[in-house]
């Protein structure tokens, strides 16, 4: 019998989950929930019902795992604890500083409702966190570095769009190659924010807009750009649509550490992602952890979990024998 | 209370384990077992007893986890099942083809004796296997590539040393950069053995030896060299000792796969190790899994395990709260 997945929220992430289900023969899409009018939403899979989120409890028995595809700012802090009472749930909560509070809220709800909730699933937090954990366990004496990009930051692109005279924008975060090489060498450099990443912006402005003023507003914007070396390119909407439609992302987690009686031996562990689509990759991770949530709920191992609490075997549609024969 | 580690076998790997214990504040070295005369063995840690392996059962109560530092060819297939009856054990069994049989033997012994045994721990098998598993779980539609090196192959170095007229030798396995780049591009190339790695040999020969004959014997040696492009350098013993004393190794596991409704989106996941000492890094992994074996034995989760069966949280000397706050 397939694992029946429910998708809550049908944007880029929800659509990515829908695509990922198709690649996993032990899963099926049960239904999709939306806050919009369901008759106005079209999905890719034939014969699957779309319901309004208000009706979700009526469909409780049709769903083994509910994947909550909402934003971390306001959606997930409310939604994940709410739905963890009635469903096994997965979310991609990524506000690092608020994870302890979110974990506590979700754990209380999931434990009470006897469900499994896995939070902060994706690539950062998620696969990057796992790689930090493994590398820290192996090399307790070392230093972690995380680089992001080259990739599109939606938050930074949005910040540029809010500037007066800007029609559209796309912002890329780019790791500084010299910093990456210094880290790979094992020299454990101290790197400032400016030394680690640059920012490149492609901006479409209104006819006759003051480009000098807009460029200055971008590069001096606190929190977003002022701590970085930022390059601004003014381009046409056609160029933006043609060359910058994708949402690629990725990055690296590197730990450089030492071993030996006198700490005389250096090692470097690097994990690198090169992703053509940030939401589709995140969705693929969510679906693998949905399998784990389903299995852990069968074992009555309830409560809130993160990627740290889940043995890799739970993620794979393979038996232990197959894993040992083919992957070990 | 510290986790008390016993080391069985005191070569490069056993010494590496001894060094790794020093970096982990929740562990202590309890004792070392050797097949040699204990009075002839010197270790680095003060005040720790060295015993003959024949007396190991007398010291059962002094040890929480026994790390078996033996070879995969003949030592571990006999030793790990034997000692898993009386101890929680870790080994680094790395003969991939024989893992299913070894697992079955060790599982029977560990289950009978109510102990935890974790086999095939290290970096390949071990960390590379984990990365294959995670990447396969996330991108079920894709292709795995493993590259080794640049690093010293002890087996290949030994094979050269057995040639008549050879006094000493060191062999490096080197990934072909063009092949690595092709894989990183996401083009999923089909690569032959020769296309993936080259082999470089540094050889010390007897005075007046026939170098042309020795070089020919190396490059045509079946299984070891005949399927590779091999370069042979004849050097002096002084040069070998000066420039080639280390045992560095490493490599990459890369999975290239697709997502999207029509598989139109490419992603590349890469895990890379650059290790100055192969045995010391392996030892550092062994010690992290010793912590997991100790904890799982407290939970009475007995039997044989591999890296696939162990949640990352078991490897770290941190609480769940600390992990979520600092690593997630």
């Amino acid at each position: 019998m397939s694992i029946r997945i429910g998708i809550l929220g049908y944007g880029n992430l929800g659509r990515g989950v829908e695509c990922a289900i198709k690649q996993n023969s032990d899963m099926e899409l049960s239904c999709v929930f939306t806050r919009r009018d369901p008759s106005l939403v079209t999905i890719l899979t034939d014969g699957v019902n779309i319901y309004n989120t208000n009706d979700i409890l009526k469909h409780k028995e049709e769903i083994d795992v509910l994947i909550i595809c909402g934003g971390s700012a306001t959606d997930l802090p409310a939604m994940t604890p709410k739905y963890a009472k009635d469903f096994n749930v997965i979310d991609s909560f990524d506000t690092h500083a608020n994870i302890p509070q979110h974990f506590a809220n979700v754990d209380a709800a999931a434990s009470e409702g006897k469900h499994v909730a896995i939070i902060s699933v994706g690539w950062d937090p998620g696969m990057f966190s796992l790689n930090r954990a493994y590398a820290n366990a192996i090399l307790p004496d070392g230093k972690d570095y995380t680089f992001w990009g080259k990739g599109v930051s939606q938050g930074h692109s949005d910040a540029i769009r809010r500037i007066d005279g800007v029609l559209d924008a796309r912002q890329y975060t780019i790791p500084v190659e010299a910093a990456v090489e210094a880290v790979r060498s094992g020299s454990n450099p101290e790197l400032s924010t400016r030394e680690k990443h640059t920012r490149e912006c492609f901006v479409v402005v209104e006819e006759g807009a003051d480009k000098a003023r807009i460029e200055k507003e971008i590069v001096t914007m606190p929190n977003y750009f002022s701590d970085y070396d930022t390059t601004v390119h003014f381009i046409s909407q056609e160029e933006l649509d043609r060359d910058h439609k994708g949402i690629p992302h990725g990055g690296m987690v590197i730990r450089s550490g030492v071993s030996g009686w006198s700490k005389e031996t250096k090692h470097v562990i690097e994990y690198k992602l090169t992703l053509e689509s940030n939401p589709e990759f995140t969705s693929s991770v969510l679906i693998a952890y949905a399998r784990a949530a389903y299995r852990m709920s069968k074992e009555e191992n309830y409560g809130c979990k993160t990627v740290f609490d889940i043995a890799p075997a739970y993620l794979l549609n393979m038996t232990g024998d197959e894993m040992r024969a083919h992957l070990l």
Side-chain angles (χ1 to χ4, degrees), chain A:
Chain A
M1 209 181 82
S2 291
I3 304 171
R4 299 165 306 165
I5 304 292
I7 295 174
L8 175 48
Y10 194 74
N12 282 335
L13 200 58
R15 199 175 301 111
V17 169
E18 183 184 17
C19 296
I21 290 170
K22 201 180 157 192
Q23 292 188 305
N24 287 277
S25 60
D26 60 339
M27 300 200 179
E28 61 181 82
L29 177 58
S30 178
C31 48
V32 171
F33 299 95
T34 176
R35 285 178 289 202
R36 292 174 274 170
D37 176 349
S39 69
L40 301 178
V41 175
T42 313
I43 66 169
L44 301 164
T45 314
D46 285 333
V48 167
N49 288 318
I50 308 171
Y51 303 114
N52 190 279
T53 307
N54 294 328
D55 296 326
I56 193 166
L57 287 181
K58 292 181 195 161
H59 302 282
K60 205 175 141 167
E61 299 309 318
E62 299 159 34
I63 295 165
D64 293 314
V65 184
L66 181 68
I67 305 198
I68 307 181
C69 301
S72 293
T74 56
D75 294 341
L76 298 176
M79 290 163 84
T80 311
K82 178 175 173 184
Y83 295 112
K85 280 193 196 113
D86 293 295
F87 297 91
N88 297 314
V89 297
I90 310 289
D91 83 16
S92 58
F93 185 76
D94 67 359
T95 311
H96 289 261
N98 298 340
I99 286 173
Q101 185 59 57
H102 187 57
F103 181 89
N105 295 345
V106 175
D107 192 45
S111 300
E112 186 200 322
K114 300 203 171 180
H115 285 101
V116 178
I118 312 180
I119 62 161
S120 301
V121 175
W123 59 274
D124 192 11
M127 299 312 297
F128 274 17
S129 323
L130 274 180
N131 277 278
R132 284 187 282 264
Y134 280 115
N136 274 267
I138 299 168
L139 298 176
D141 198 329
K143 201 162 154 48
D144 291 315
Y145 296 86
T146 303
F147 292 95
W148 293 275
K150 181 181 178 175
V152 171
S153 166
Q154 301 281 12
H156 288 77
S157 301
D158 291 345
I160 298 172
R161 283 192 208 100
R162 287 192 292 265
I163 293 174
D164 192 45
V166 171
L167 294 171
D168 204 351
R170 182 66 38 125
Q171 192 271 175
Y172 295 93
T173 305
I174 305 168
V176 175
E177 198 50 42
V180 176
E181 286 311 318
V183 169
R184 283 182 179 142
S185 77
S187 68
N188 280 6
E190 289 295 334
L191 296 167
S192 67
T193 299
R194 192 177 298 276
E195 286 168 326
K196 286 182 70 187
H197 296 92
T198 56
R199 298 194 179 277
E200 189 170 22
C201 313
F202 294 86
V203 184
V204 182
V205 294
E206 287 169 2
E207 185 79 29
D210 180 351
K211 290 179 180 173
R213 189 255 315 157
I214 290 171
E215 177 165 353
K216 196 178 167 203
E217 278 195 47
I218 294 172
V219 302
T220 60
M221 195 186 296
N223 301 318
Y224 286 89
F225 293 100
S226 62
D227 291 338
Y228 299 86
D229 291 334
T230 302
T231 315
V232 178
H233 308 276
F234 292 100
I235 62 173
S236 68
Q237 186 73 52
E238 294 68 43
E239 256 183 291
L240 191 85
D241 292 344
R242 187 189 67 213
D243 300 336
H244 304 284
K245 261 297 163 210
I247 24 184
H249 219 313
M252 289 155 265
V253 168
I254 306 177
R255 187 168 176 87
S256 156
V258 292
S259 70
W261 192 249
S262 310
K263 305 183 179 182
E264 67 276 20
T265 314
K266 281 185 193 171
H267 309 285
V268 179
I269 303 174
E270 175 174 344
Y271 180 75
K272 183 177 182 183
L273 294 175
T274 310
L275 314 176
E276 280 190 359
S277 163
N278 183 351
E280 281 183 20
F281 188 82
T282 300
S283 302
S284 299
V285 182
L286 291 171
I287 272 298
Y289 279 91
R291 181 178 290 119
Y294 175 76
R295 293 176 177 176
M296 293 169 99
S297 78
K298 293 287 171 202
E299 296 175 358
E300 304 185 355
N301 183 354
Y302 304 129
C304 188
K305 320 282 176 190
T306 73
V307 294
F308 300 143
D309 304 308
I310 293 163
Y314 283 86
L315 306 175
L316 284 154
N317 183 19
M318 292 176 108
T319 66
D321 284 342
E322 287 169 340
M323 279 175 227
R324 287 186 290 274
H326 302 299
L327 296 175
L328 198 62

